[in-house]
Amino acid sequence: MIRSGFRTVLLVAAAGVALAATVTCSQSTELATAPSAETQAGPAAQARDPETLRLLYSRSALTLNPHLATGYQDFEAARIVYEPLASYNEAGDLVPFLADEIPSLENGGVAADGTTVTWTLRPDITWADGEPFTADDVVFTFEFIRNPVVAAATAQYYEGVKSVEAIDNYTVKITFAAPTPAWSVPFTGQTGLILPRHIFEEFNGPAARDALANLQPVGTGPYQVVGFEAGTIIYEPNPSYWGGRPSFKRVELSGGLAPYAAAREVLQAGTADFAHNLQVEAEALSQLETDASGHISHLFGSQVERIMLNFAHPFARTEAGERSSPDIPHPYFSDVRVRQALNLAIDRDTIAKELYGTAGKPTAQLLVAPDDYQSPEIAYTYDLEQAKALLDQAGWIDSNGDGLREKDGVALEVLFQAAVNPVRQKTQAIVSDSLRELGVDVQISRVRMDEFFSGNPADTGSLNHFYADMQVYSIGNESPDPSTYMGWWTCAKIASQANQWQEPNNARYCNPEYDRLWEEARLELDPDRRAELFQQMNELLARDVAVIPVVHRAMTNAVSDRLIDVEFTPWDASTWAIKDWRPKPAEP
């Protein structure tokens, strides 16, 4: 029940969110309910073309232009077609793709003062249409990304780049605006995929999203797209691929499948070869692994399931009509004692053990990978009594004996939102039980997944609009260099109406001391000193309770036992080395 005057708008907002959640549940029942006995049993394994590779995802790709990506599913689909100059493997070593070698101080590719890096390209590469790949394509990709009219999703990874120039057809020089230890971030991994100038040049502007090539790409990768329908993309081998012919004659990438259903298709039915990012309860996943035709791959990287607290008032509006504006601070999360109390009420051990099993580790660290950046000073405690004492000190007490705390006539109540997913709904339930024991009134909101993770300014249920008090989701650094990721917490990155909610600081957290540490870290060339700075940033976020890290999540994929040479990395899309995937040879 809404009892406090300052939240009158919540009546309307909550009703709208509830309607969205109702629609979501009616359309995606399998995401929100436990599998039936019949579903658990699964269909008998079906015979299918052994030369077809079938990949399953929970979300459907909307574009195959990685620089216009709307989410991870677009990167995964685009990575099969496009390639970067290089990428990091699981061990954190750079592996060349379009580059002929990895730049270093020793070979002269990396300037000692950190202001430039020079890449030498492979001379034997052509695009799928036969046109030669040259340094000019790298230059164009930078022009496309930095064009503000294009509004590239990957622009943040190139903010420190001053210029990109083609020294000759196979040499590219990148100049940074300041000494940059993160020289390997631009043009590497899934955010560094190179586009062909001859295909996209006329779309480098307002028409960027109208290019036919966004759906029918011309790349340098092992496969090319031959069909793109709602929910399914069909690939065939790229006859011009520099790495030789890949093993499969056809690749089918399908989206929109519930994680449990996708896992079952790989592990039990044998109707698919790969299912991506399975956020499925540990017990249910364990059942699927019994007598399975595939296996589960757990890869711990940088992903942290976290609870975000809104530092802005989500239910008040500015004169311009903006909600969750930092100009109107949150009425009680502005008090660090309230944030500390909520942090003490998060039962990380139970969430990790019951919901994630071997796929999750409880954590209070926001920056978990590489290991050097974790701080030994950060720890967590689950202590409801201490949490109650903090709320008492902050003046939030139950004055009328109804079990809910108030202060100055305002009830301590929160709207807690998450995307529709069984694990996240159970996380909400575990957290809500603890908060209600503290005397906090908790309302749960479930938002349709495509809306929650949307970058569309019209989707007001998105995590960047953050029209709630709390929200839970998972993300991490895209590269072993965490400077871009940690930059998300700076004041300049606050999501707002002015930037169409495209900036990543959806908590609206702002601390000049944190900004100072980040500025120093992004310019520091000494790796030991840089690690110290990132640890200090990690510690400051923990001390301020700017965010509540809950679980260090593994990337959990299901892989058919008929595949071999499948290699994953936490620093790129799961499809990054799909050129090497091949069927297991038949036993004699």
Side-chain angles (χ1 to χ4, degrees):
M1 183 176 72
I2 308 302
R3 303 178 302 146
S4 50
F6 78 89
R7 290 203 165 206
T8 304
V9 67
L10 179 57
L11 287 168
V12 178
V17 172
L19 177 60
T22 302
V23 172
T24 299
C25 292
S26 66
Q27 293 176 342
S28 305
T29 306
E30 191 167 10
L31 279 172
T33 59
S36 65
E38 181 180 354
T39 301
Q40 288 179 7
Q46 302 175 10
R48 58 191 182 90
D49 182 1
E51 294 188 303
T52 294
L53 179 67
R54 188 160 180 250
L55 317 176
L56 305 181
Y57 290 80
S58 60
R59 297 173 65 192
S60 298
L62 300 179
T63 179
L64 294 178
N65 185 331
H67 302 292
L68 304 179
T70 62
Y72 68 81
Q73 73 284 352
D74 296 333
F75 286 114
E76 290 276 330
R79 191 66 177 85
I80 300 173
V81 176
Y82 291 114
E83 297 174 303
L85 298 186
S87 191
Y88 282 94
N89 62 17
E90 182 181 356
D93 300 322
L94 274 173
V95 177
F97 278 81
L98 299 177
D100 196 38
E101 64 177 350
I102 301 301
S104 66
L105 287 169
E106 291 73 22
N107 63 24
V110 178
D113 63 0
T115 58
T116 67
V117 59
T118 302
W119 291 86
T120 302
L121 310 181
R122 292 179 61 101
D124 58 344
I125 297 177
T126 63
W127 296 98
D129 61 3
E131 289 293 314
F133 162 74
T134 69
D136 192 47
D137 294 307
V138 182
V139 173
F140 169 75
T141 300
F142 175 66
E143 294 171 353
F144 185 87
I145 292 169
R146 74 170 179 178
N147 187 339
V149 179
V150 170
T154 53
Q156 59 185 310
Y157 299 97
Y158 298 81
E159 288 180 348
V161 177
K162 180 179 179 181
S163 65
V164 179
E165 57 182 317
I167 304 302
D168 56 41
N169 280 345
Y170 302 109
T171 309
V172 177
K173 182 178 182 180
I174 302 172
T175 300
F176 299 98
T180 303
W183 60 264
S184 64
V185 172
F187 305 115
T188 63
Q190 64 182 12
T191 60
L193 306 186
I194 309 300
L195 300 177
R197 179 186 285 275
H198 69 284
I199 298 295
F200 281 100
E201 188 163 30
E202 63 180 296
F203 297 99
N204 186 14
R209 285 161 178 78
D210 299 328
L212 181 62
N214 292 336
L215 302 180
Q216 298 178 16
V218 176
T220 59
Y223 294 95
Q224 60 184 343
V225 173
V226 296
F228 193 147
E229 299 178 359
T232 302
I233 306 170
I234 307 299
Y235 305 80
E236 291 181 355
N238 173 7
S240 301
Y241 182 52
W242 57 272
R245 187 175 181 85
S247 294
F248 293 94
K249 290 184 178 180
R250 180 183 174 96
V251 177
E252 297 178 0
L253 188 152
S254 299
L257 283 85
Y260 181 88
R264 181 169 55 83
E265 285 208 40
V266 175
L267 299 174
Q268 292 292 327
T271 53
D273 300 292
F274 168 81
H276 176 260
N277 193 21
L278 301 172
Q279 194 171 22
V280 177
E281 286 181 69
E283 183 178 354
L285 203 56
S286 178
Q287 292 174 358
L288 287 176
E289 288 186 274
T290 303
D291 298 323
S293 58
H295 61 278
I296 295 296
S297 167
H298 293 311
L299 178 63
F300 282 94
S302 65
Q303 297 288 306
V304 173
E305 187 84 356
R306 79 280 306 280
I307 294 173
M308 305 294 293
L309 304 180
N310 201 338
F311 280 70
H313 195 322
F315 307 110
R317 297 181 184 271
T318 65
E319 290 184 2
E322 181 176 2
R323 288 173 57 184
S324 282
S325 167
D327 293 336
I328 307 178
H330 196 283
Y332 32 87
F333 285 169
S334 299
D335 188 332
V336 69
R337 293 170 297 183
V338 176
R339 303 197 302 272
Q340 289 170 341
L342 266 63
N343 187 36
L344 287 165
I346 307 303
D347 190 353
R348 293 168 171 86
D349 290 330
T350 295
I351 293 170
K353 180 180 179 180
E354 294 188 0
L355 303 185
Y356 290 88
T358 56
K361 306 172 184 176
T363 187
Q365 307 264 351
L366 182 71
L367 179 56
V368 294
D371 293 342
D372 290 347
Y373 299 133
Q374 292 193 30
S375 170
E377 302 299 318
I378 300 175
Y380 66 86
T381 302
Y382 178 59
D383 190 332
L384 294 183
E385 294 308 312
Q386 187 179 350
K388 290 176 183 177
L390 281 168
L391 291 176
D392 288 343
Q393 293 172 20
W396 292 93
I397 59 174
D398 178 10
S399 61
N400 57 11
D402 67 351
L404 300 178
R405 294 175 180 266
E406 314 94 18
K407 181 179 180 180
D408 300 328
V410 175
L412 186 55
E413 55 191 6
V414 296
L415 179 64
F416 186 11
Q417 73 176 15
V420 175
N421 173 279
V423 173
R424 291 205 168 108
Q425 265 70 81
K426 292 200 173 183
T427 299
Q428 286 178 300
I430 292 171
V431 172
S432 296
D433 287 347
S434 292
L435 294 187
R436 288 178 177 128
E437 190 170 337
L438 293 185
V440 180
D441 187 13
V442 183
Q443 299 176 47
I444 296 297
S445 167
R446 295 184 298 166
V447 184
R448 184 169 52 87
M449 185 178 292
D450 285 346
E451 181 178 6
F452 186 81
F453 291 106
S454 173
N456 185 342
D459 286 333
T460 56
S462 74
L463 60 88
N464 268 13
H465 279 78
F466 199 180
Y467 292 165
D469 302 286
M470 300 165 56
Q471 62 184 359
V472 59
Y473 61 92
S474 177
I475 202 168
N477 35 308
E478 299 278 355
S479 162
D481 187 287
S483 54
T484 300
Y485 172 63
M486 297 302 278
W488 293 354
W489 295 89
T490 59
C491 302
K493 292 297 181 181
I494 289 177
S496 68
Q497 184 172 288
N499 55 49
Q500 292 292 290
W501 299 277
Q502 298 304 302
E503 295 292 357
N505 185 353
N506 54 64
R508 280 71 170 180
Y509 171 78
C510 182
N511 185 333
E513 173 62 13
Y514 183 88
D515 285 18
R516 184 193 66 76
L517 288 170
W518 181 78
E519 286 289 347
E520 185 177 348
R522 76 182 185 90
L523 301 176
E524 179 57 63
L525 298 179
D526 183 303
D528 293 333
R529 172 57 182 160
R530 198 159 187 257
E532 291 176 6
L533 290 167
F534 280 124
Q535 288 176 356
Q536 291 176 34
M537 293 158 68
N538 216 1
E539 292 163 7
L540 181 55
L541 292 176
R543 189 162 60 248
D544 279 353
V545 196
V547 57
I548 301 178
V550 179
V551 175
H552 180 192
R553 273 188 60 195
M555 178 62 74
T556 301
N557 298 325
V559 183
S560 170
D561 285 341
R562 83 179 187 104
L563 296 181
I564 60 174
D565 295 338
V566 177
E567 179 184 353
F568 299 123
T569 175
W571 311 117
D572 203 337
S574 296
T575 52
W576 82 298
I578 199 169
K579 63 184 178 63
D580 299 323
W581 296 16
R582 60 193 180 96
K584 184 178 181 179
E587 295 182 1

